[in-house]
Amino acid sequence: SVIRSSRDCVPTNVPEPVVYVTTKLAVLAARTLDIALLEPPFDLLTRVPGRFLRRAVEFATFADLTRLQKRTFVKPADPLDKWFDAGLYGNARDIRTCGRSCPDAPVLLSEPVEWSVELRYFVLEGRVVAGSPYLSYGRPAWRRTDASGPLPTAGRPLVEQLCADMKDRLPPVFVVDVGLIEDRGWAVVEFNPVWSAGLLNADPRAVFPALQRASQRRTELTDVDRRWDLRK
């Protein structure tokens, strides 16, 4: 769906349509309305300095998986096309693709690690505007929090430092998941577009300005914003 206003969580009199829905429907709505959806590049995680990752991460194509020699965490890099399940794989033949053949499809490969805690943060113009616990030892943690409560602080310093260090290399609006690797410390888990990322229990009023920033009329795109328009 396309949100224009909601008495429960967003301001009234919104002049422009704002897209927030599952990825494929968001892209369809944006094309219908001639809106650009700003988002992180598929390989952004691999551009993050190692001190924020605390593990090896690589950007590749599905065809490259033929060289897998040990168990590796593999996931589709494009959130629009999750055509196989993310998970640990030691051989490309173990990946169930439902009969599809996409050798050029982008994928992300990561060194396997154990995340004890994960949190989600919404970032607008380099500033954390909303957030929510995500997982705790593999179990949902966001259901135990209050959306109207204060921003979670665990992991937030990492996000703020990331935004400061990569100021000119990050999109103006994005979602970043961070987590604690027990034997290594806090690290970036992944990036996602704001317009399709689950709120979990983040404050929707705080998220709404980020959604507005992520939905831009194509006729009004700035040169800077065009860098982050991947669905041309």
Side-chain angles (χ1 to χ4, degrees):
S1 61
V2 179
I3 303 175
R4 284 188 178 275
S5 64
S6 167
R7 287 174 293 181
D8 295 328
C9 62
V10 299
T12 58
N13 302 320
V14 178
E16 295 291 342
V18 175
V19 177
Y20 178 63
V21 74
T22 56
T23 310
K24 290 184 179 181
L25 289 177
V27 172
L28 177 61
R31 289 173 179 169
T32 301
L33 298 170
D34 198 26
I35 289 174
L37 298 176
L38 309 186
E39 63 182 303
F42 302 154
D43 65 344
L44 181 57
L45 192 63
T46 64
R47 305 182 197 179
V48 172
R51 64 185 179 279
F52 294 109
L53 293 176
R54 301 187 184 275
R55 68 197 188 282
V57 180
E58 182 182 353
F59 185 72
T61 67
F62 190 79
D64 293 329
L65 298 182
T66 56
R67 57 183 171 82
L68 280 181
Q69 297 181 346
K70 58 183 179 180
R71 287 176 66 79
T72 301
F73 182 78
V74 184
K75 62 173 290 185
D78 183 355
L80 177 62
D81 193 16
K82 296 182 179 181
W83 59 292
F84 66 86
D85 291 335
L88 287 173
Y89 298 99
N91 192 305
R93 290 175 295 184
D94 297 332
I95 302 177
R96 302 184 64 179
T97 62
C98 300
R100 290 182 58 183
S101 177
C102 303
D104 296 329
V107 297
L108 285 167
L109 293 78
S110 301
E111 172 191 352
V113 293
E114 291 286 341
W115 301 97
S116 59
V117 177
E118 293 183 44
L119 298 99
R120 170 161 294 179
Y121 288 100
F122 292 78
V123 178
L124 173 61
E125 306 292 0
R127 185 172 62 90
V128 174
V129 295
S132 173
Y134 193 170
L135 296 174
S136 178
Y137 295 96
R139 296 183 178 183
W142 59 272
R143 297 172 185 169
R144 301 193 295 269
T145 63
D146 180 3
S148 62
L151 270 168
T153 56
R156 184 175 176 180
L158 176 77
V159 178
E160 292 173 341
Q161 190 62 55
L162 174 74
C163 291
D165 287 12
M166 295 188 67
K167 182 177 179 181
D168 298 325
R169 292 171 286 168
L170 295 172
V173 58
F174 61 92
V175 167
V176 58
D177 293 346
V178 299
L180 179 62
I181 305 173
E182 284 288 359
D183 57 344
R184 303 185 189 186
W186 286 94
V188 175
V189 179
E190 65 179 7
F191 295 94
N192 284 293
V194 170
W195 39 265
S196 63
L199 289 180
L200 303 181
N201 225 18
D203 184 350
R205 287 185 178 273
V207 171
F208 191 71
L211 289 172
Q212 288 180 299
R213 183 67 180 89
S215 305
Q216 297 292 312
R217 293 283 188 186
R218 289 192 180 279
T219 55
E220 301 174 5
L221 280 179
T222 65
D223 290 339
V224 172
D225 285 350
R226 288 190 181 92
R227 293 175 56 192
W228 317 111
D229 175 20
L230 308 185
R231 312 287 173 179
K232 302 178 181 69

